[in-house]
Amino acid sequence: AMSVQETGQPKTELLQAFQASAKSNQPSKAKLLTKAKGKANQVLPANRASRWRRANESQSSPKIDWLGTIVARENISRFQAKTNTPLQSLRYCQPLIQSQALHLILIDCSASTGAPDALGKAKSVVVDIARRGYLQREHLALMSFGNEQVQLLLPPRRAPKSIHHLLQPIQAGGGTPMDMALRRATALIERCQHQYATGQIHLYLITDGRSNAKLPPINEQIKLLVIDTEQHAIRLHRCERIAKSFQGQYLHIEQLIA
């Protein structure tokens, strides 16, 4: 079995650039807070409140901001006069805007990744991505694909402090079900994408590209980085074409390993 510690240390600059390129398109935290505060103070006439609630039940269950309602200029006279007249308007709290990022890693463990130590280098890169996610308090998910099967090794969750115990048992063998892996990844993202900000789902496809399967489409909001582990004397350069077809970014693993 290949050990995660057998290869050199990953260079982090290129991974940082990929992750930063996705974040640069996102509004700053200050802008998100300003937007959230604006929505939290949304004013609705009382006779429209029930209709507004029904229209938004599919997205969330709005809660009344009672303090905001009481101190609203159009309502405060009612409370000062201690009358039983209906409220002129209601104010509703809005759910917090999600800004969490998800890093979903697909690692190829088919037979072709076995030599010369392509899988060991791939594991080192996975460890580095996971470490960065842990330090940034971001979410991580990990899938392996090889031997004609896809395994979910880590479902989406806060990145753990260490993932060596998940990577150590992975061995190279069998075929390359890359199409199956991408379909599983897309289905996983569809189930949990509501938890993450738009454009903050990073997909890392770590493979040598040696698969003839027709690959399924992926959501254009997903930021894709294809990391090429091809080490053979005669290179097919399939990973470059994969990255281009998905309008993703491409790096060879030698660019990431010191």
Side-chain angles (χ1 to χ4, degrees), residues 46 55 58 63 72 87 108 129 137 142 155 166 170 173 175 179 185-186 200 210 216 256:
S58 59
K63 295 181 179 180
L87 293 172
D108 183 354
I129 296 171
R137 298 178 179 272
L142 176 63
L166 297 175
I170 299 177
D179 54 335
T186 299
Q200 286 289 58
R210 295 195 171 228
L256 300 173

Side-chain angles (χ1 to χ4, degrees), residues 7 12 22 28 35 64 76 99 111 132-133 137 163 196 236 251:
T7 62
T12 61
S28 66
K35 186 177 180 182
I64 296 176
I76 197 166
S99 60
R132 287 179 52 76
R137 298 178 179 272
I163 61 168
Y196 307 101
L236 304 179
L251 290 173

Side-chain angles (χ1 to χ4, degrees), residues 13 28 32 34 65 93-94 101 116 119 135 161 175 177 180 182 200 204-205 212 223 229 240-241 244-245 250-251 253:
E13 294 85 356
S28 66
L32 288 174
T34 301
D65 177 7
C93 299
Q94 292 293 317
L119 184 56
L135 294 175
K161 188 173 183 179
M180 188 188 308
L182 285 173
Q200 286 289 58
Y204 304 82
L205 178 58
N212 294 319
K223 305 301 179 182
T229 63
E240 295 179 56
R241 294 194 292 272
K244 186 176 181 179
S245 67
Y250 167 87
L251 290 173
I253 200 163

Side-chain angles (χ1 to χ4, degrees), residues 89-153:
S89 67
L90 298 177
R91 297 189 178 218
Y92 285 86
C93 299
Q94 292 293 317
L96 294 176
I97 297 174
Q98 296 289 346
S99 60
Q100 185 71 59
L102 171 65
H103 302 276
L104 173 54
I105 305 171
L106 305 182
I107 180 170
D108 183 354
C109 59
S110 59
S112 60
T113 65
D117 199 27
L119 184 56
K121 293 177 180 179
K123 289 181 180 181
S124 295
V125 171
V126 172
V127 168
D128 187 59
I129 296 171
R131 180 186 63 82
R132 287 179 52 76
Y134 173 75
L135 294 175
Q136 296 293 327
R137 298 178 179 272
E138 295 176 332
H139 282 203
L140 182 76
L142 176 63
M143 289 183 180
S144 66
F145 61 98
N147 201 23
E148 302 304 334
Q149 60 180 342
V150 179
Q151 290 185 300
L152 178 61
L153 304 178

